[in-house]
Amino acid sequence: MAGFLFSLLLRWCKARSPSILALPVSPPSPIAELQGRDRGPGLYKWTITGAHAGGLNKLQCPHTHLSLPFSNTHTHRASSGARRGPASMAGKLEAGGGDGEYTQDGTTDLHGKPILRSERGGWRACSFVVVYEVFERMAYYGISSNLVLYLTKQLHQGTVLSANNVTNWVGTIWMTPIIGAYIADAHLGRYRTFMVASVIYLLGMILLTMAVSLPSLKPAKCGVGTADLNCDQKASSVQLGVFFLALYILAVGTGGTKPNISTIGADQFDEHEPRERRQKLSFFNWWMFSIFFGTLFANTVLVYIQDKIGWTVGYALPTVGLAVSIAIFTAGTPFYRHKPTSESSFAKMAGVIVAAVRKCRVPSPVDPTDLHEIDPEQYAKKKTSPLPYTPNFSVLSKAAVRTGGSTSRWSLSTVTQVEQTKQMLKMLPVLGITFVPSAMLAQINTLFVKQGTTLDRHVGAHGFEIPPASLQGFVTISMLVSVVLYDRLFLPFMRRLTRNPRGISLLQRMGVGLVLHIVIMAIASVTDRYRLNVAHENGVFDSKAGKTIPLSIFVLLPQFVLMGVADAFLEVAKIEFFYDQAPEGMKSLGTSYSMTSLGIGNFLSSFLLSTVAHITGRHGQGGWIQNNLNASRLDLYFAFFAVLNCANLVVFFAVCRMYVYNAEVTHVVDGGGEKQREVAMQPSPAAGAPDLML
């Protein structure tokens, strides 16, 4: 192992300064110098330090400031099975190296040891993660897709209350990842946080299955053909308490799984290796593919079982699916790469902000190099790179001004910590413009499903009746098709056209999704106006009476299909954007931004629904949203959403004009052929054009 580390270090530094290396068979002790000459001009020096009786213990590269353990008593195994010393390793390096290369992005095994690229990570490891996500999404959407109908039919809640209970729970589901990201980044690591949270998740699912199965934990049946025709017999406090306790235990569990599972998948690809870097560009597309594949099963098979066979079986199957998914993920443990924990992202950001406020009146130095930064060797030991100073958010840069006083976290920050904070804060406006489209998504499993209950659901000559929540399966299907077409047709075409590896930028992709959301809500408004007209023409004035409108449920199909197409643009780009633009060490927090978007969007949906229902229902009027959907005005409510999306799109363009990507810039330093790769925030050359800045 140590011998191979030595070989790797030489190979890496050779790549940074192309050379033919020659290593003495017996390096002098106690300090040995290794010199190699470039093919062209330029001479550089290596030093091997810490020689002692029995061997060397550290190799240090002055170009990269990287130190690795080394002992000349260790040997390197050749392909022939012979044992090689340092001299023969140099011969192997001179021949061009081999496949046994260590990862360069700081990933390790679960015990913190360096790992070979060929043994861990890549698509082999990601296959376990992707398969896990299929089963886990089947479990989650098996509950959430039909939850609004369980609350109305089994727990006897009204339209507004049931819809808000769903969106509040889903909002919590997507907000708890902030806590999970903090624990993962600062304390347990992503893998261990995920495993602990998975157990909590599974316990919540088991309790939820019991709540829908045991007669004592649910009220008597109501509706047509029962003693409680109008569903006036409400669930007791104990019944509601157990049911919602299970839901929110589940929410706590997902708080640890959601922000970490996608990040674990992305961590399997080394950004420093070109081939893996290209593979990572497609990871998020196929990640979303796996999500919606599991969702498709939930929205078709599980929803049908819940409607036609029973809630016990319909909830027990997702519970079993979750247990299977955890087992699959655990089976892939030997193949995963792991990022080590670091200081809390929240603590680093808070320290920068507090230090900047305390020194707000301190003048900034003219030369940015006078700002506080630690020795690059400390970053090299962690296999990370310092971030260079940028003029953006200059007020925060005062946190790195040296004043000669305290050097605590709350008084002095490094330039890298300041730049990391800048990168996280500058994404907040983008996060803000995703709240409204996330509120649109909340309509899929609430009001869109309730619309379906009022329509004719029979299909075919035999009168097969589909569950109203099954239309969500068309969101999944259109999403799957759109992702494949995007990845296989649209992406290669746009790459050739724009010479951008992503085809179009992430914000451009999000912009397409925002436009589609306007179209969706406009179509939903027109469709519901048509539904009400047909209902009134046929005398169907009460949706609670059990009589459906003589209009096929597939009239709602366009709004479901287009929602899937919009997700292929907006949701995929949103996840990739927040991961890509987050600095190293804050990737889980960056991923939690996309989760937070959905959480706040669902809470926004609850707020808008309650507010609109209250305002439009004043002075004795029925209001836009009633328990009787045939007397409601969902067409006006959806039109209101279309206008809200238009306003949000205007704000989006304003945000795009100001946003600056974290561009990757390669600086070539003269002398010795050394190349240094830096990541800095660079403004787009087309800063004045929104369509180019997206």
Side-chain angles (χ1 to χ4, degrees):
M1 174 67 74
F4 193 80
L5 283 172
F6 181 86
S7 175
L8 171 64
L9 179 59
L10 299 184
R11 185 187 307 124
W12 182 26
C13 291
K14 175 186 175 184
R16 297 175 65 105
S17 185
S19 311
I20 298 297
L21 302 180
L23 180 68
V25 176
S26 300
S29 179
I31 297 179
E33 293 188 354
L34 170 64
Q35 295 186 350
R37 186 175 298 277
D38 291 272
R39 294 182 184 273
L43 181 68
Y44 63 90
K45 178 184 292 185
W46 304 83
T47 59
I48 303 177
T49 62
H52 57 84
L56 304 173
N57 65 8
K58 185 171 69 172
L59 172 67
Q60 182 173 359
C61 168
H63 278 308
T64 61
H65 304 286
L66 177 66
S67 298
L68 290 177
F70 173 72
S71 171
N72 61 13
T73 61
H74 289 277
T75 57
H76 180 71
R77 186 169 55 220
S79 56
S80 62
R83 300 174 70 85
R84 296 188 176 187
S88 52
M89 281 190 287
K92 179 180 179 182
L93 176 62
E94 197 167 3
D99 293 333
E101 189 177 67
Y102 284 84
T103 56
Q104 301 178 30
D105 59 352
T107 51
T108 65
D109 66 9
L110 195 56
H111 304 291
K113 298 179 180 179
I115 53 177
L116 294 174
R117 190 189 311 282
S118 59
E119 293 182 356
R120 289 175 179 261
W123 279 111
R124 176 175 59 175
C126 272
S127 62
F128 292 93
V129 177
V130 170
V131 172
Y132 161 85
E133 193 65 9
V134 171
F135 282 91
E136 192 277 333
R137 291 294 85 185
M138 180 191 75
Y140 169 70
Y141 283 103
I143 302 301
S144 65
S145 296
N146 225 11
L147 182 58
V148 68
L149 295 187
Y150 184 85
L151 294 177
T152 54
K153 291 184 177 181
Q154 302 298 316
L155 298 185
H156 311 169
Q157 295 186 345
T159 299
V160 174
L161 180 59
S162 61
N164 283 348
N165 277 331
V166 171
T167 51
N168 288 337
W169 173 69
V170 174
T172 305
I173 285 278
W174 293 111
M175 290 296 290
T176 51
I178 298 176
I179 301 174
Y182 165 76
I183 295 174
D185 281 344
H187 299 287
L188 297 182
R190 293 164 188 164
Y191 177 85
R192 292 183 176 89
T193 301
F194 174 86
M195 293 303 298
V196 172
S198 294
V199 175
I200 298 174
Y201 192 170
L202 184 59
L203 292 176
M205 290 290 294
I206 293 172
L207 181 59
L208 189 63
T209 303
M210 295 174 60
V212 302
S213 304
L214 300 178
S216 60
L217 295 179
K218 56 184 179 179
K221 293 183 178 180
C222 68
V224 179
T226 69
D228 188 9
L229 180 63
N230 296 317
C231 294
D232 293 327
Q233 183 180 342
K234 306 299 181 183
S236 68
S237 299
V238 173
Q239 292 167 342
L240 290 174
V242 172
F243 184 80
F244 283 105
L245 175 64
L247 283 179
Y248 283 91
I249 289 176
L250 190 155
V252 171
T254 57
T257 60
K258 284 184 182 295
N260 292 304
I261 185 61
S262 59
T263 313
I264 289 172
D267 287 345
Q268 306 311 307
F269 301 98
D270 189 347
E271 284 277 355
H272 297 82
E273 206 280 323
R275 180 176 59 86
E276 292 192 9
R277 183 181 179 86
R278 289 193 299 270
Q279 291 174 342
K280 192 173 184 177
L281 293 178
S282 293
F283 167 72
F284 287 103
N285 282 338
W286 294 106
W287 173 254
M288 292 299 294
F289 187 97
S290 70
I291 289 176
F292 281 85
F293 189 82
T295 306
L296 178 62
F297 183 87
N299 290 336
T300 53
V301 177
L302 290 181
V303 165
Y304 180 82
I305 290 174
Q306 290 167 0
D307 268 27
K308 301 301 180 182
I309 298 178
W311 295 98
T312 299
V313 178
Y315 275 41
L317 286 178
T319 303
V320 173
L322 179 63
V324 170
S325 70
I326 296 172
I328 291 173
F329 178 84
T330 305
T333 299
F335 305 106
Y336 297 143
R337 300 173 184 174
H338 303 276
K339 286 286 183 71
T341 58
S342 59
E343 184 184 3
S344 165
S345 300
F346 293 107
K348 285 190 287 188
M349 293 176 63
V352 170
I353 294 172
V354 170
V357 171
R358 294 176 67 176
K359 292 185 284 189
C360 62
R361 297 185 178 181
V362 175
S364 299
V366 177
D367 187 356
T369 59
D370 292 334
L371 296 173
H372 174 62
E373 185 57 279
I374 61 176
D375 193 313
E377 184 176 355
Q378 297 187 40
Y379 290 105
K381 289 179 180 178
K382 300 178 182 179
K383 292 190 176 182
T384 60
S385 301
L387 294 177
Y389 167 83
T390 60
N392 309 67
F393 300 102
S394 58
V395 65
L396 291 178
S397 298
K398 293 190 176 185
V401 175
R402 298 186 181 96
T403 60
S406 173
T407 59
S408 70
R409 170 192 297 172
W410 309 105
S411 301
L412 184 65
S413 302
T414 65
V415 171
T416 296
Q417 290 171 339
V418 171
E419 295 303 321
Q420 288 176 333
T421 303
K422 289 179 181 180
Q423 291 183 13
M424 294 305 299
L425 293 180
K426 75 190 183 77
M427 289 192 293
L428 291 180
V430 179
L431 174 64
I433 57 95
T434 64
F435 295 158
V436 171
S438 294
M440 304 304 104
L441 292 177
Q443 311 313 307
I444 296 176
N445 57 353
T446 53
L447 295 183
F448 283 8
V449 173
K450 292 291 291 183
Q451 278 182 296
T453 62
T454 68
L455 300 173
D456 181 13
R457 306 194 301 274
H458 293 88
V459 180
H462 299 288
F464 177 78
E465 187 176 19
I466 65 172
S470 289
L471 283 189
Q472 296 176 66
F474 288 98
V475 178
T476 304
I477 294 172
S478 64
M479 171 69 180
L480 296 178
V481 173
S482 298
V483 166
V484 173
L485 293 179
Y486 185 96
D487 195 62
R488 297 304 180 187
L489 298 178
F490 181 78
L491 184 58
F493 172 76
M494 292 305 298
R495 278 174 177 167
R496 291 192 297 268
L497 187 65
T498 65
R499 300 187 183 278
N500 185 336
R502 287 191 170 92
I504 58 176
S505 70
L506 295 174
L507 288 178
Q508 284 174 330
R509 188 170 180 176
M510 291 173 64
V512 174
L514 293 177
V515 172
L516 287 174
H517 274 284
I518 297 174
V519 176
I520 291 167
M521 300 317 295
I523 291 176
S525 177
V526 173
T527 301
D528 199 73
R529 179 68 264 177
Y530 178 60
R531 180 187 69 86
L532 291 176
N533 289 339
V534 174
H536 295 163
E537 289 172 0
N538 290 272
V540 184
F541 299 107
D542 190 354
S543 63
K544 298 175 61 180
K547 185 178 180 181
T548 59
I549 301 171
L551 180 64
S552 173
I553 192 175
F554 291 109
V555 72
L556 303 177
L557 197 58
Q559 63 202 55
F560 282 93
V561 171
L562 284 177
M563 193 67 81
V565 178
D567 283 349
F569 284 91
L570 179 58
E571 294 305 308
V572 175
K574 184 172 66 175
I575 294 175
E576 187 173 357
F577 175 84
F578 289 126
Y579 178 87
D580 180 78
Q581 296 294 290
E584 286 297 331
M586 295 187 180
K587 293 296 186 183
S588 290
L589 180 59
T591 303
S592 72
Y593 271 24
S594 61
M595 314 294 180
T596 302
S597 165
L598 293 171
I600 295 181
N602 275 272
F603 289 129
L604 178 61
S605 176
S606 296
F607 171 77
L608 292 175
L609 185 64
S610 298
T611 302
V612 171
H614 174 71
I615 293 175
T616 58
R618 291 184 300 182
H619 309 300
Q621 299 178 358
W624 288 2
I625 301 100
Q626 304 177 38
N627 293 338
N628 177 12
L629 291 188
N630 292 347
S632 301
R633 295 303 306 270
L634 292 182
D635 58 326
L636 297 179
Y637 186 62
F638 293 151
F640 163 71
F641 268 143
V643 174
L644 189 61
N645 273 286
C646 289
N648 189 64
L649 184 64
V650 174
V651 177
F652 172 74
F653 282 118
V655 169
C656 290
R657 292 182 68 91
M658 297 182 293
Y659 189 80
V660 182
Y661 281 100
N662 299 340
E664 294 184 358
V665 182
T666 301
H667 299 281
V668 180
V669 182
D670 295 334
E674 180 186 3
K675 292 184 179 180
Q676 180 179 0
R677 179 176 177 271
E678 295 181 351
V679 179
M681 294 183 288
Q682 297 292 335
S684 168
D691 56 328
L692 297 177
M693 283 288 291
L694 298 185

